[in-house]
Amino acid sequence: MSSQDWELEREDPRFPEGLLDLSRPPERLYGRGDLEILSEPSLSVVGARRATPYGQAVSEMVGRIAADCGIVVVSGGAMGCDHAVARAALDAGGRTIVVSGCGADRVYPVSSSDVFTDAVMRGGAIVSIETWGFGPRRYAFPKRNAVIAALSQSLMVVEAGAKSGTMSTADAAVERWRTVYAIPGSSFSPNSSGTNRLIAEGARMIPDEPSLELSLSLDYGIARLSGGEGGDRPQGRVMSALVASPSRPDELAERLNEDVLTLLHTLTDYELRGIVVKLPDGRYSPTREYFKGEN
């Protein structure tokens, strides 16, 4: 253990009250970093590991706004949405708590090592209900998800498939009477099927940046300290179609009744301009920068 490491037993008055809501509260919480951050207002954020550019852009928006409001971001430190929201919060001068599925002294996944390191270096913490040195085990991550749901008074679901660890975290939040926010997505996107279902079942829909600011203001009593970002974005039939649903060139041609070669030239031009990106499965999607209004 380093000088920054600590352990809290359940009887300790500094033990997070939210964890007592779990069906089987942990006997001990292990942590690295600032212990006092556990008593700060926090927002738990979860989303797909294989996030789309849309999911990454929305995660970054959530992280930035939470930081502007002085709200601590809680995430699992995984790749995809977890990394994007924590990174954005840290880059905006905010703080984050990483809830690890391993020991608090382990970094997993390695691709998120920057978030683990900066969480501690910038006044946040890494916490775990697993003992020191505990390595990744599949059975540990559902328990980790329940801790994420319980630590904060609200849970934001950014992007989630219908059956996923993200949705299990949302279920854990509902069971513990936490407020659940959800970001809507395209009806045709598998990555948004879970979030859209949560909204249909009563989760609070967060369609845009002002809505998130208002919800945080109402639920936390905290106003945003800096203004939002914006910008003009190229519009048109092709971009409107891709915003609705990332598509392959042949699918896009059929939907728009256009020649596929013409669309390929357009997509290549947009890709060079940083407006669209080609996904591993051959579909084209607007980039994070496009969704953020930076193009």
Side-chain angles (χ1 to χ4, degrees):
M1 293 174 57
S2 74
S3 58
Q4 293 180 303
D5 297 342
W6 42 263
E7 298 180 14
L8 286 181
E9 295 186 350
R10 192 194 302 176
E11 296 75 18
D12 193 304
R14 297 170 298 176
F15 191 86
E17 289 187 10
L19 297 189
L20 300 178
D21 293 337
L22 294 172
S23 56
R24 297 181 62 183
E27 294 290 338
R28 186 168 295 172
L29 184 69
Y30 303 85
R32 168 170 288 179
D34 186 357
L35 173 60
E36 300 304 319
I37 198 173
L38 295 176
S39 62
E40 296 289 328
S42 65
L43 172 68
S44 293
V45 184
V46 293
R49 287 180 297 169
R50 296 183 179 180
T52 65
Y54 172 75
Q56 291 177 322
V58 171
S59 298
E60 290 168 359
M61 177 194 76
V62 172
R64 186 179 74 255
I65 293 176
D68 288 346
C69 292
I71 297 172
V72 175
V73 168
V74 177
S75 79
M79 62 182 71
C81 292
D82 281 14
H83 183 276
V85 70
R87 185 71 266 163
L90 289 164
D91 290 345
R95 294 178 296 163
T96 187
I97 296 173
V98 175
V99 183
S100 178
C102 303
D105 56 343
R106 298 287 299 271
V107 174
Y108 182 84
V110 175
S111 58
S112 293
S113 58
D114 62 315
V115 165
F116 278 71
T117 299
D118 287 350
V120 175
M121 293 291 292
R122 302 188 188 185
I126 304 166
V127 301
S128 177
I129 60 174
E130 310 297 345
T131 189
W132 304 110
F134 184 86
R137 303 287 191 277
R138 180 170 294 183
Y139 67 81
F141 289 91
K143 294 190 295 178
R144 184 277 305 267
N145 293 343
V147 171
I148 293 172
L151 266 181
S152 303
Q153 71 180 68
S154 304
L155 174 76
M156 166 69 79
V157 184
V158 175
E159 190 173 49
K163 296 181 179 180
S164 61
T166 299
M167 289 298 287
S168 72
T169 310
D171 290 340
V174 171
E175 291 170 3
R176 285 151 189 87
W177 299 97
R178 302 304 191 260
T179 301
V180 177
Y181 307 148
I183 303 290
S186 167
S187 300
F188 302 101
S189 173
N191 276 42
S192 291
S193 58
T195 47
N196 290 341
R197 179 164 65 82
L198 286 172
I199 292 168
E201 293 176 351
R204 187 182 302 175
M205 182 172 68
I206 306 294
D208 50 31
E209 194 166 315
S211 297
L212 177 57
E213 289 186 41
L214 178 60
S215 287
L216 294 179
S217 176
L218 292 173
D219 292 343
Y220 290 81
I222 300 173
R224 193 176 183 188
L225 301 180
S226 63
E229 298 177 3
D232 296 326
R233 301 182 296 177
Q235 301 292 336
R237 296 176 69 228
V238 172
M239 291 309 299
S240 294
L242 292 178
V243 167
S245 179
S247 307
R248 296 179 178 83
D250 57 335
E251 297 170 337
L252 195 60
E254 184 176 354
R255 288 167 59 193
L256 298 179
N257 195 26
E258 294 281 356
D259 177 70
V260 68
L261 291 179
T262 300
L263 278 175
L264 277 171
H265 285 303
T266 300
L267 291 170
T268 299
D269 175 58
Y270 284 178
E271 192 171 16
L272 290 172
R273 292 167 59 187
I275 298 171
V276 303
V277 60
K278 188 175 183 180
L279 303 177
D281 62 3
R283 294 179 300 158
Y284 283 83
S285 167
T287 60
R288 286 184 294 170
E289 290 73 19
Y290 179 84
F291 282 118
K292 292 162 63 178
E294 295 178 355
N295 290 102

